[in-house]
Amino acid sequence: MKKFVKNVMAAAGLTAMIFAAFTGCSKKESGSAAPAAEGKTEEIKADAISTVGPANGTHLELWTFVDLHSQHYAAMLESWNKEHPDKQIQITFTTYPYGDMHNKMIMANQTGSGAPDICDIEIGQFPNFMKGKVQFVEMNKYISQYQSTVVKSRLDIYGKNGTYYGIPFHVGATVMYYNDELLSSYGIDYRTIKTWDDFEAAGKKLKEASGGKVMMTGVDTGGTDWLWVSMAENKTDWTDANGRADVRIKAVSDMIKMQQRWLKEGIAICTPGGQIDTEEGFATVGDQKVAAFPKAMWYMSRFLNYMPEQAGKWAIAPCPVYKAGQPRSVGIGGTGTVVSLQSKHQELAAEFLAYAKLSLEGEKRIWEVLGFDPVNTALWTDKSITHDQSNKFIKFFRTNPFDTLNEIKDEIMGIKVVEISPAINEQINLNVLVNCLEEGADVDAELQTAQDEIDLDQ
Protein backbone atom coordinates (compact mmCIF):
# COMPACT_ATOMS: atom_id res chain seq x y z
CA MET A 1 0.00 0.00 0.00
CA LYS A 2 2.82 2.39 0.88
CA LYS A 3 4.47 2.02 -2.53
CA PHE A 4 1.12 2.55 -4.26
CA VAL A 5 0.61 5.78 -2.30
CA LYS A 6 4.06 6.93 -3.33
CA ASN A 7 3.41 6.29 -7.00
CA VAL A 8 0.07 8.08 -6.98
CA MET A 9 1.52 11.09 -5.21
CA ALA A 10 4.47 11.23 -7.57
CA ALA A 11 2.19 11.23 -10.57
CA ALA A 12 -0.18 13.83 -9.17
CA GLY A 13 1.98 16.35 -7.38
CA LEU A 14 5.70 15.96 -7.99
CA THR A 15 6.33 19.38 -9.47
CA ALA A 16 4.26 21.24 -6.87
CA MET A 17 5.87 19.44 -3.95
CA ILE A 18 9.44 20.02 -5.09
CA PHE A 19 8.80 23.67 -5.94
CA ALA A 20 7.15 24.12 -2.51
CA ALA A 21 10.43 23.19 -0.85
CA PHE A 22 12.24 26.20 -2.31
CA THR A 23 9.74 29.03 -2.75
CA GLY A 24 9.75 32.15 -0.71
CA CYS A 25 9.62 35.37 -2.66
CA SER A 26 6.10 34.83 -3.90
CA LYS A 27 2.97 32.80 -3.65
CA LYS A 28 3.52 29.58 -5.60
CA GLU A 29 3.43 30.05 -9.34
CA SER A 30 2.32 27.36 -11.73
CA GLY A 31 4.46 25.62 -14.31
CA SER A 32 6.97 22.82 -14.60
CA ALA A 33 10.47 23.35 -13.30
CA ALA A 34 12.07 20.90 -15.72
CA PRO A 35 15.00 22.17 -17.79
CA ALA A 36 14.28 22.96 -21.41
CA ALA A 37 15.22 20.40 -24.03
CA GLU A 38 17.91 21.54 -26.43
CA GLY A 39 16.42 22.63 -29.72
CA LYS A 40 12.97 23.48 -28.35
CA THR A 41 11.54 26.41 -30.29
CA GLU A 42 7.88 26.65 -29.29
CA GLU A 43 6.62 30.13 -28.42
CA ILE A 44 6.08 30.87 -24.73
CA LYS A 45 3.29 33.29 -23.92
CA ALA A 46 4.01 36.06 -21.43
CA ASP A 47 1.62 36.89 -18.60
CA ALA A 48 2.47 40.59 -18.75
CA ILE A 49 4.72 42.98 -20.68
CA SER A 50 5.39 46.64 -19.90
CA THR A 51 8.04 49.21 -20.81
CA VAL A 52 9.16 51.90 -18.37
CA GLY A 53 11.64 54.74 -18.77
CA PRO A 54 12.53 57.42 -21.35
CA ALA A 55 12.64 56.51 -25.03
CA ASN A 56 16.18 57.90 -25.32
CA GLY A 57 17.46 55.76 -22.44
CA THR A 58 19.58 52.64 -22.87
CA HIS A 59 17.09 49.86 -23.47
CA LEU A 60 17.25 46.72 -21.33
CA GLU A 61 15.11 43.57 -21.18
CA LEU A 62 14.15 42.04 -17.84
CA TRP A 63 12.38 38.71 -17.28
CA THR A 64 10.67 37.63 -14.10
CA PHE A 65 8.04 35.12 -12.96
CA VAL A 66 6.46 37.46 -10.38
CA ASP A 67 4.73 40.63 -11.57
CA LEU A 68 5.23 42.25 -8.15
CA HIS A 69 8.97 42.03 -8.76
CA SER A 70 8.52 44.00 -12.00
CA GLN A 71 6.66 46.67 -10.08
CA HIS A 72 9.56 46.96 -7.65
CA TYR A 73 12.13 47.24 -10.44
CA ALA A 74 9.98 49.83 -12.23
CA ALA A 75 9.80 52.00 -9.12
CA MET A 76 13.56 51.71 -8.63
CA LEU A 77 14.12 52.54 -12.29
CA GLU A 78 12.32 55.83 -11.76
CA SER A 79 14.62 56.60 -8.82
CA TRP A 80 17.70 55.54 -10.78
CA ASN A 81 16.86 57.84 -13.69
CA LYS A 82 16.37 60.79 -11.32
CA GLU A 83 19.72 60.17 -9.66
CA HIS A 84 21.65 59.31 -12.84
CA PRO A 85 20.74 61.84 -15.56
CA ASP A 86 23.78 60.73 -17.56
CA LYS A 87 22.82 57.02 -17.40
CA GLN A 88 19.16 56.97 -18.37
CA ILE A 89 17.60 53.51 -18.71
CA GLN A 90 14.46 52.17 -20.30
CA ILE A 91 13.40 48.61 -19.39
CA THR A 92 10.88 46.26 -20.94
CA PHE A 93 9.58 43.95 -18.21
CA THR A 94 8.21 40.56 -19.20
CA THR A 95 6.49 38.27 -16.69
CA TYR A 96 6.31 34.59 -17.67
CA PRO A 97 4.85 31.57 -15.89
CA TYR A 98 7.42 30.15 -13.45
CA GLY A 99 8.45 27.00 -15.34
CA ASP A 100 8.24 28.60 -18.77
CA MET A 101 10.54 31.45 -17.84
CA HIS A 102 13.24 29.20 -16.42
CA ASN A 103 13.01 26.85 -19.40
CA LYS A 104 13.27 29.80 -21.79
CA MET A 105 16.33 31.11 -19.96
CA ILE A 106 18.03 27.70 -20.04
CA MET A 107 17.37 27.51 -23.79
CA ALA A 108 18.83 30.99 -24.29
CA ASN A 109 21.98 29.93 -22.45
CA GLN A 110 22.24 26.72 -24.47
CA THR A 111 21.87 28.44 -27.83
CA GLY A 112 23.86 31.56 -26.93
CA SER A 113 21.11 33.94 -28.00
CA GLY A 114 17.77 35.30 -26.88
CA ALA A 115 18.57 36.00 -23.21
CA PRO A 116 17.37 39.22 -21.55
CA ASP A 117 19.82 41.63 -19.95
CA ILE A 118 18.46 40.89 -16.46
CA CYS A 119 16.56 37.85 -15.19
CA ASP A 120 15.10 36.60 -11.91
CA ILE A 121 16.16 33.02 -11.11
CA GLU A 122 14.29 31.22 -8.31
CA ILE A 123 16.53 29.63 -5.66
CA GLY A 124 15.51 26.04 -6.47
CA GLN A 125 16.36 26.60 -10.13
CA PHE A 126 19.68 28.38 -9.55
CA PRO A 127 21.84 25.21 -9.45
CA ASN A 128 20.68 24.39 -13.00
CA PHE A 129 22.41 27.57 -14.18
CA MET A 130 25.66 26.95 -12.30
CA LYS A 131 26.64 23.86 -14.31
CA GLY A 132 29.70 24.20 -16.52
CA LYS A 133 30.67 27.69 -17.63
CA VAL A 134 28.32 30.13 -15.93
CA GLN A 135 26.53 32.38 -18.44
CA PHE A 136 26.01 35.27 -16.03
CA VAL A 137 28.05 38.37 -15.24
CA GLU A 138 30.25 38.19 -12.12
CA MET A 139 28.64 40.56 -9.62
CA ASN A 140 31.35 40.87 -6.95
CA LYS A 141 32.49 44.37 -7.87
CA TYR A 142 28.92 45.67 -8.09
CA ILE A 143 28.03 44.19 -4.72
CA SER A 144 31.22 45.36 -3.00
CA GLN A 145 29.95 48.77 -1.85
CA TYR A 146 27.10 47.07 0.06
CA GLN A 147 28.82 43.83 1.05
CA SER A 148 29.89 44.80 4.58
CA THR A 149 26.27 45.10 5.71
CA VAL A 150 24.68 42.36 3.59
CA VAL A 151 23.93 38.95 5.14
CA LYS A 152 26.72 36.83 3.66
CA SER A 153 24.87 33.50 3.75
CA ARG A 154 22.30 34.89 1.30
CA LEU A 155 24.95 36.05 -1.17
CA ASP A 156 26.70 32.68 -0.94
CA ILE A 157 23.57 30.89 -2.17
CA TYR A 158 23.91 32.62 -5.54
CA GLY A 159 27.65 32.12 -5.89
CA LYS A 160 30.18 29.58 -7.06
CA ASN A 161 33.83 29.28 -5.99
CA GLY A 162 33.76 32.68 -4.29
CA THR A 163 32.14 34.47 -7.22
CA TYR A 164 28.64 35.90 -6.88
CA TYR A 165 26.31 35.71 -9.87
CA GLY A 166 22.93 36.62 -8.38
CA ILE A 167 21.58 39.27 -6.00
CA PRO A 168 18.94 38.22 -3.43
CA PHE A 169 15.64 39.87 -2.58
CA HIS A 170 15.58 38.95 1.10
CA VAL A 171 17.17 37.06 3.99
CA GLY A 172 14.21 34.71 4.43
CA ALA A 173 15.15 34.38 8.11
CA THR A 174 13.08 31.63 9.70
CA VAL A 175 11.28 32.59 12.91
CA MET A 176 8.56 31.08 15.06
CA TYR A 177 5.10 32.57 14.67
CA TYR A 178 3.10 32.33 17.92
CA ASN A 179 -0.62 33.07 18.32
CA ASP A 180 -0.01 35.01 21.52
CA GLU A 181 -3.67 35.88 21.99
CA LEU A 182 -4.66 32.22 21.83
CA LEU A 183 -1.77 30.89 23.92
CA SER A 184 -2.17 33.50 26.65
CA SER A 185 -5.89 32.67 26.92
CA TYR A 186 -4.78 29.21 28.04
CA GLY A 187 -2.14 30.51 30.42
CA ILE A 188 0.88 29.94 28.16
CA ASP A 189 3.60 32.57 27.70
CA TYR A 190 5.46 31.95 24.44
CA ARG A 191 8.36 34.05 25.74
CA THR A 192 9.30 31.25 28.12
CA ILE A 193 9.79 28.82 25.23
CA LYS A 194 13.52 28.59 24.52
CA THR A 195 14.06 24.91 23.65
CA TRP A 196 12.14 22.18 21.86
CA ASP A 197 11.54 20.59 25.27
CA ASP A 198 9.89 23.85 26.34
CA PHE A 199 7.88 23.83 23.12
CA GLU A 200 6.68 20.28 23.76
CA ALA A 201 5.79 21.07 27.38
CA ALA A 202 3.76 24.07 26.23
CA GLY A 203 2.00 21.83 23.72
CA LYS A 204 0.99 19.39 26.44
CA LYS A 205 -0.29 22.22 28.61
CA LEU A 206 -2.25 23.61 25.65
CA LYS A 207 -3.77 20.21 24.92
CA GLU A 208 -4.96 19.85 28.52
CA ALA A 209 -6.19 23.43 28.85
CA SER A 210 -8.07 23.45 25.53
CA GLY A 211 -9.44 19.95 25.86
CA GLY A 212 -7.57 18.96 22.73
CA LYS A 213 -9.28 21.63 20.61
CA VAL A 214 -6.06 23.45 19.74
CA MET A 215 -2.81 21.87 18.60
CA MET A 216 0.54 23.41 19.38
CA THR A 217 1.70 23.13 15.77
CA GLY A 218 1.34 21.50 12.38
CA VAL A 219 4.16 19.38 10.95
CA ASP A 220 4.90 19.42 7.23
CA THR A 221 4.54 16.43 4.94
CA GLY A 222 5.21 18.47 1.80
CA GLY A 223 8.03 20.82 2.75
CA THR A 224 11.48 20.73 4.34
CA ASP A 225 11.44 23.90 6.46
CA TRP A 226 11.45 22.06 9.80
CA LEU A 227 14.40 19.95 8.63
CA TRP A 228 16.34 23.03 7.50
CA VAL A 229 15.78 24.55 10.95
CA SER A 230 17.15 21.41 12.59
CA MET A 231 20.19 21.28 10.31
CA ALA A 232 20.93 24.96 10.92
CA GLU A 233 20.68 24.56 14.68
CA ASN A 234 23.12 21.66 14.53
CA LYS A 235 25.38 23.48 12.03
CA THR A 236 25.17 20.66 9.54
CA ASP A 237 23.93 20.16 5.98
CA TRP A 238 22.73 17.23 3.92
CA THR A 239 25.08 18.16 1.10
CA ASP A 240 28.84 18.53 1.45
CA ALA A 241 31.33 20.93 -0.12
CA ASN A 242 31.44 18.75 -3.25
CA GLY A 243 27.67 18.75 -3.65
CA ARG A 244 27.19 15.14 -2.54
CA ALA A 245 24.12 14.37 -0.48
CA ASP A 246 23.55 12.34 2.67
CA VAL A 247 20.05 12.73 4.12
CA ARG A 248 20.69 10.21 6.91
CA ILE A 249 22.28 12.83 9.15
CA LYS A 250 21.27 13.03 12.80
CA ALA A 251 19.71 16.51 12.57
CA VAL A 252 17.17 15.28 10.02
CA SER A 253 16.44 12.04 11.84
CA ASP A 254 16.07 13.77 15.22
CA MET A 255 13.56 16.33 13.94
CA ILE A 256 11.31 13.76 12.26
CA LYS A 257 11.40 11.48 15.32
CA MET A 258 10.51 14.41 17.56
CA GLN A 259 7.58 15.27 15.31
CA GLN A 260 6.41 11.65 15.38
CA ARG A 261 6.32 11.92 19.17
CA TRP A 262 4.30 15.13 19.02
CA LEU A 263 1.76 13.45 16.74
CA LYS A 264 1.42 10.48 19.10
CA GLU A 265 1.07 12.79 22.09
CA GLY A 266 -1.71 14.69 20.33
CA ILE A 267 -0.02 18.09 20.42
CA ALA A 268 0.55 18.36 16.65
CA ILE A 269 -1.25 17.58 13.41
CA CYS A 270 -0.03 16.94 9.89
CA THR A 271 -0.68 20.32 8.29
CA PRO A 272 -3.53 20.16 5.75
CA GLY A 273 -2.15 20.81 2.29
CA GLY A 274 1.26 19.47 3.26
CA GLN A 275 2.60 22.74 4.65
CA ILE A 276 1.42 26.01 6.14
CA ASP A 277 2.01 28.03 2.94
CA THR A 278 -1.02 26.64 1.09
CA GLU A 279 -4.71 27.56 0.97
CA GLU A 280 -5.40 24.74 3.42
CA GLY A 281 -2.55 25.97 5.59
CA PHE A 282 -3.93 29.49 5.69
CA ALA A 283 -7.31 28.09 6.77
CA THR A 284 -5.60 26.08 9.52
CA VAL A 285 -3.99 29.24 10.86
CA GLY A 286 -7.08 31.39 10.39
CA ASP A 287 -9.32 28.88 12.16
CA GLN A 288 -6.84 28.83 15.07
CA LYS A 289 -6.30 25.09 14.84
CA VAL A 290 -2.57 25.50 15.56
CA ALA A 291 -0.90 27.97 17.89
CA ALA A 292 2.63 28.14 16.47
CA PHE A 293 4.77 27.23 13.48
CA PRO A 294 8.19 28.09 12.01
CA LYS A 295 8.33 29.98 8.73
CA ALA A 296 10.49 32.59 7.06
CA MET A 297 9.92 36.29 7.64
CA TRP A 298 8.39 36.63 4.18
CA TYR A 299 5.39 34.70 5.52
CA MET A 300 4.29 37.97 7.15
CA SER A 301 2.80 38.96 3.79
CA ARG A 302 0.67 35.79 3.82
CA PHE A 303 -1.03 37.01 6.97
CA LEU A 304 -1.90 40.36 5.43
CA ASN A 305 -2.99 38.89 2.10
CA TYR A 306 -4.84 35.75 3.23
CA MET A 307 -5.54 36.07 6.96
CA PRO A 308 -6.18 39.77 7.68
CA GLU A 309 -8.54 38.88 10.53
CA GLN A 310 -5.50 37.63 12.48
CA ALA A 311 -4.17 41.18 12.95
CA GLY A 312 -2.95 41.88 16.45
CA LYS A 313 -2.95 38.24 17.56
CA TRP A 314 0.44 36.91 16.48
CA ALA A 315 3.95 37.42 17.81
CA ILE A 316 7.28 36.74 16.10
CA ALA A 317 10.16 35.18 18.03
CA PRO A 318 13.35 33.16 17.47
CA CYS A 319 12.90 29.44 16.86
CA PRO A 320 13.36 27.08 19.82
CA VAL A 321 16.59 25.05 19.83
CA TYR A 322 17.65 21.63 21.08
CA LYS A 323 20.04 23.20 23.56
CA ALA A 324 20.98 26.75 24.54
CA GLY A 325 23.60 28.43 22.40
CA GLN A 326 22.62 26.87 19.07
CA PRO A 327 21.78 29.13 16.09
CA ARG A 328 18.08 29.96 16.03
CA SER A 329 17.40 30.67 12.38
CA VAL A 330 18.03 29.65 8.79
CA GLY A 331 17.44 31.52 5.53
CA ILE A 332 14.75 29.89 3.38
CA GLY A 333 13.43 30.69 -0.09
CA GLY A 334 14.51 33.41 -2.43
CA THR A 335 15.21 34.72 -5.91
CA GLY A 336 18.66 35.55 -7.25
CA THR A 337 18.60 38.14 -10.03
CA VAL A 338 21.31 37.90 -12.68
CA VAL A 339 22.80 39.79 -15.61
CA SER A 340 23.35 37.73 -18.77
CA LEU A 341 26.70 37.58 -20.54
CA GLN A 342 24.66 38.09 -23.71
CA SER A 343 23.75 41.61 -22.59
CA LYS A 344 25.26 44.41 -24.67
CA HIS A 345 25.08 46.66 -21.60
CA GLN A 346 26.45 44.44 -18.86
CA GLU A 347 27.98 47.14 -16.69
CA LEU A 348 24.92 49.39 -16.71
CA ALA A 349 22.57 46.46 -16.11
CA ALA A 350 24.68 45.22 -13.18
CA GLU A 351 24.96 48.70 -11.64
CA PHE A 352 21.20 49.17 -11.82
CA LEU A 353 20.49 45.70 -10.43
CA ALA A 354 22.73 46.22 -7.39
CA TYR A 355 21.11 49.62 -6.82
CA ALA A 356 17.58 48.22 -7.14
CA LYS A 357 18.10 45.37 -4.69
CA LEU A 358 20.90 46.34 -2.27
CA SER A 359 20.87 50.13 -1.91
CA LEU A 360 19.19 51.56 1.17
CA GLU A 361 16.45 53.03 -1.01
CA GLY A 362 15.86 49.72 -2.76
CA GLU A 363 15.93 47.74 0.46
CA LYS A 364 13.52 50.15 2.13
CA ARG A 365 11.05 49.63 -0.67
CA ILE A 366 11.53 45.83 -0.59
CA TRP A 367 10.54 45.93 3.08
CA GLU A 368 7.72 48.45 2.90
CA VAL A 369 5.99 47.13 -0.21
CA LEU A 370 6.95 43.45 -0.49
CA GLY A 371 7.30 42.73 3.21
CA PHE A 372 10.62 40.92 2.76
CA ASP A 373 13.31 41.06 5.44
CA PRO A 374 16.01 43.14 3.71
CA VAL A 375 19.44 41.58 3.18
CA ASN A 376 21.14 44.90 3.87
CA THR A 377 21.31 44.94 7.65
CA ALA A 378 21.99 48.69 7.69
CA LEU A 379 18.21 49.09 7.59
CA TRP A 380 17.71 46.91 10.65
CA THR A 381 18.80 49.69 13.02
CA ASP A 382 17.24 52.63 11.20
CA LYS A 383 14.45 53.55 13.61
CA SER A 384 12.66 55.64 11.01
CA ILE A 385 12.02 52.31 9.29
CA THR A 386 12.02 49.74 12.08
CA HIS A 387 9.70 51.75 14.34
CA ASP A 388 7.44 53.26 11.70
CA GLN A 389 4.08 52.63 13.33
CA SER A 390 2.29 53.36 10.06
CA ASN A 391 3.96 50.37 8.40
CA LYS A 392 1.39 47.67 7.69
CA PHE A 393 3.64 44.81 8.81
CA ILE A 394 4.73 46.46 12.04
CA LYS A 395 1.09 47.27 12.84
CA PHE A 396 -0.10 43.71 12.18
CA PHE A 397 2.04 41.83 14.73
CA ARG A 398 2.29 42.08 18.50
CA THR A 399 6.07 42.16 18.32
CA ASN A 400 8.33 44.26 16.13
CA PRO A 401 9.79 42.02 13.38
CA PHE A 402 13.09 43.91 13.47
CA ASP A 403 13.52 43.21 17.19
CA THR A 404 13.64 39.51 16.37
CA LEU A 405 15.83 40.05 13.31
CA ASN A 406 18.38 41.98 15.33
CA GLU A 407 18.30 39.35 18.07
CA ILE A 408 19.16 36.55 15.62
CA LYS A 409 21.31 38.67 13.28
CA ASP A 410 24.41 36.52 13.76
CA GLU A 411 22.52 33.22 13.93
CA ILE A 412 20.96 33.02 10.46
CA MET A 413 22.50 29.94 8.91
CA GLY A 414 22.37 28.82 5.29
CA ILE A 415 21.63 25.39 3.80
CA LYS A 416 23.19 24.83 0.38
CA VAL A 417 20.97 24.52 -2.70
CA VAL A 418 22.96 22.52 -5.25
CA GLU A 419 22.46 20.30 -8.28
CA ILE A 420 21.30 17.31 -6.23
CA SER A 421 18.82 19.38 -4.16
CA PRO A 422 15.75 18.67 -6.34
CA ALA A 423 16.40 14.92 -5.99
CA ILE A 424 16.67 15.31 -2.21
CA ASN A 425 13.40 17.19 -2.03
CA GLU A 426 11.63 14.67 -4.24
CA GLN A 427 12.54 11.85 -1.85
CA ILE A 428 11.91 13.78 1.37
CA ASN A 429 8.62 15.38 0.34
CA LEU A 430 7.05 12.52 -1.57
CA ASN A 431 8.25 9.60 0.52
CA VAL A 432 10.04 10.18 3.82
CA LEU A 433 7.78 12.79 5.44
CA VAL A 434 4.55 11.21 4.24
CA ASN A 435 5.54 7.72 5.33
CA CYS A 436 7.02 8.76 8.68
CA LEU A 437 4.51 11.38 9.78
CA GLU A 438 1.29 10.07 8.27
CA GLU A 439 1.98 6.34 8.50
CA GLY A 440 4.41 6.18 11.41
CA ALA A 441 7.16 4.42 9.42
CA ASP A 442 10.64 3.91 10.85
CA VAL A 443 12.56 7.14 10.30
CA ASP A 444 16.04 5.76 9.81
CA ALA A 445 14.82 3.03 7.45
CA GLU A 446 12.96 5.61 5.34
CA LEU A 447 15.99 7.89 5.21
CA GLN A 448 18.14 4.96 4.09
CA THR A 449 15.67 4.13 1.31
CA ALA A 450 15.70 7.79 0.26
CA GLN A 451 19.48 7.82 0.27
CA ASP A 452 19.60 4.75 -1.96
CA GLU A 453 17.39 6.54 -4.50
CA ILE A 454 19.36 9.78 -4.28
CA ASP A 455 22.61 7.87 -4.84
CA LEU A 456 21.31 6.85 -8.25
CA ASP A 457 21.40 10.54 -9.22
CA GLN A 458 24.88 11.33 -7.90
Side-chain angles (χ1 to χ4, degrees):
M1 173 62 73
K2 188 159 63 175
K3 181 61 70 176
F4 172 76
V5 171
K6 293 179 187 178
N7 291 339
V8 171
M9 288 185 65
L14 175 61
T15 298
M17 286 287 197
I18 294 173
F19 180 41
F22 292 115
T23 50
C25 276
S26 64
K27 189 70 181 77
K28 286 176 264 307
E29 294 79 20
S30 61
S32 169
E38 190 166 358
K40 181 179 177 183
T41 58
E42 66 184 59
E43 185 67 24
I44 294 175
K45 185 177 180 180
D47 287 338
I49 302 175
S50 61
T51 299
V52 179
N56 63 346
T58 300
H59 185 259
L60 303 176
E61 295 278 343
L62 188 154
W63 293 355
T64 183
F65 54 96
V66 184
D67 191 55
L68 198 59
H69 291 184
S70 291
Q71 295 175 36
H72 168 73
Y73 293 128
M76 292 308 299
L77 178 61
E78 183 178 353
S79 297
W80 169 275
N81 283 334
K82 287 180 179 178
E83 294 183 21
H84 301 84
D86 58 331
K87 293 183 179 181
Q88 295 291 285
I89 300 174
Q90 180 190 70
I91 300 180
T92 295
F93 301 98
T94 305
T95 303
Y96 290 106
Y98 169 84
D100 289 346
M101 191 216 72
H102 289 95
N103 287 344
K104 189 175 176 68
M105 191 64 182
I106 287 175
M107 174 56 67
N109 283 353
Q110 289 175 350
T111 60
S113 65
D117 300 274
I118 302 172
C119 188
D120 279 346
I121 306 292
E122 191 266 331
I123 186 173
Q125 287 287 306
F126 214 84
N128 292 329
F129 294 88
M130 293 293 102
K131 301 174 184 177
K133 179 174 171 54
V134 180
Q135 299 299 304
F136 303 142
V137 172
E138 296 181 4
M139 297 298 294
N140 292 51
K141 75 174 183 177
Y142 305 103
I143 292 171
S144 61
Q145 63 178 305
Y146 309 108
Q147 199 163 344
S148 64
T149 54
V150 170
V151 177
K152 183 177 182 297
S153 62
R154 298 312 283 171
L155 291 177
D156 290 344
I157 288 175
Y158 305 113
K160 181 179 181 181
N161 300 326
T163 299
Y164 300 126
Y165 294 98
I167 298 181
F169 259 115
H170 59 64
V171 178
T174 301
V175 294
M176 187 65 72
Y177 292 89
Y178 289 104
N179 189 327
D180 185 34
E181 180 182 81
L182 182 63
L183 288 169
S184 61
S185 72
Y186 290 110
I188 299 169
D189 184 353
Y190 78 90
R191 291 168 295 185
T192 65
I193 300 174
K194 305 299 182 183
T195 67
W196 291 117
D197 286 342
D198 297 336
F199 190 82
E200 184 170 330
K204 292 177 179 178
K205 182 177 180 179
L206 179 62
K207 176 185 176 181
E208 182 178 356
S210 70
K213 293 180 181 179
V214 183
M215 296 291 168
M216 188 64 184
T217 194
V219 297
D220 295 345
T221 56
T224 57
D225 288 12
W226 286 90
L227 305 184
W228 278 39
V229 168
S230 187
M231 287 188 284
E233 291 182 353
N234 287 281
K235 296 184 179 180
T236 188
D237 198 322
W238 50 20
T239 62
D240 63 19
N242 298 315
R244 294 212 34 109
D246 188 348
V247 299
R248 300 164 298 183
I249 59 176
K250 189 174 185 294
V252 172
S253 176
D254 284 352
M255 176 56 77
I256 302 175
K257 289 175 181 176
M258 183 167 66
Q259 292 179 325
Q260 282 185 327
R261 186 172 68 248
W262 295 348
L263 292 168
K264 290 178 181 178
E265 292 171 346
I267 65 172
I269 58 171
C270 289
T271 306
Q275 58 152 317
I276 213 73
D277 194 25
T278 62
E279 297 298 333
E280 298 94 330
F282 302 149
T284 300
V285 174
D287 293 341
Q288 301 194 122
K289 293 180 179 178
V290 297
F293 57 89
K295 206 67 182 173
M297 291 286 285
W298 46 255
Y299 194 86
M300 290 186 297
S301 65
R302 308 299 197 255
F303 276 99
L304 275 74
N305 292 336
Y306 301 101
M307 301 167 281
E309 75 285 351
Q310 296 296 304
K313 298 180 180 181
W314 289 77
I316 296 172
C319 291
V321 291
Y322 293 94
K323 57 184 179 181
Q326 290 181 316
R328 294 174 291 172
S329 186
V330 61
I332 292 180
T335 295
T337 312
V338 302
V339 174
S340 173
L341 287 176
Q342 296 179 31
S343 172
K344 296 179 180 179
H345 310 285
Q346 294 177 17
E347 180 128 354
L348 182 60
E351 288 177 353
F352 168 73
L353 179 58
Y355 170 82
K357 298 189 76 174
L358 296 179
S359 70
L360 293 182
E361 183 175 352
E363 290 281 67
K364 181 179 179 181
R365 192 179 188 284
I366 285 172
W367 158 247
E368 292 179 343
V369 178
L370 303 179
F372 296 161
D373 44 345
V375 294
N376 192 332
T377 60
L379 268 73
W380 297 12
T381 54
D382 184 341
K383 289 191 175 182
S384 68
I385 296 170
T386 64
H387 289 72
D388 178 7
Q389 297 306 311
S390 66
N391 179 274
K392 59 185 177 181
F393 300 104
I394 291 175
K395 286 195 299 184
F396 193 95
F397 296 95
R398 289 193 171 193
T399 50
N400 186 306
F402 284 100
D403 288 345
T404 300
L405 269 178
N406 280 300
E407 184 178 348
I408 61 175
K409 179 178 179 179
D410 298 323
E411 304 175 49
I412 306 169
M413 302 292 105
I415 302 300
K416 295 187 290 294
V417 178
V418 295
E419 187 175 342
I420 197 64
S421 294
I424 294 174
N425 282 277
E426 177 183 345
Q427 290 301 318
I428 297 296
N429 290 335
L430 297 186
N431 297 325
V432 174
L433 294 175
V434 172
N435 293 338
C436 292
L437 300 179
E438 292 189 357
E439 300 181 26
D442 182 83
V443 175
D444 294 324
E446 289 296 321
L447 289 174
Q448 181 60 59
T449 298
Q451 185 64 40
D452 292 341
E453 292 295 323
I454 292 167
D455 284 341
L456 299 177
D457 294 320
Q458 62 179 3

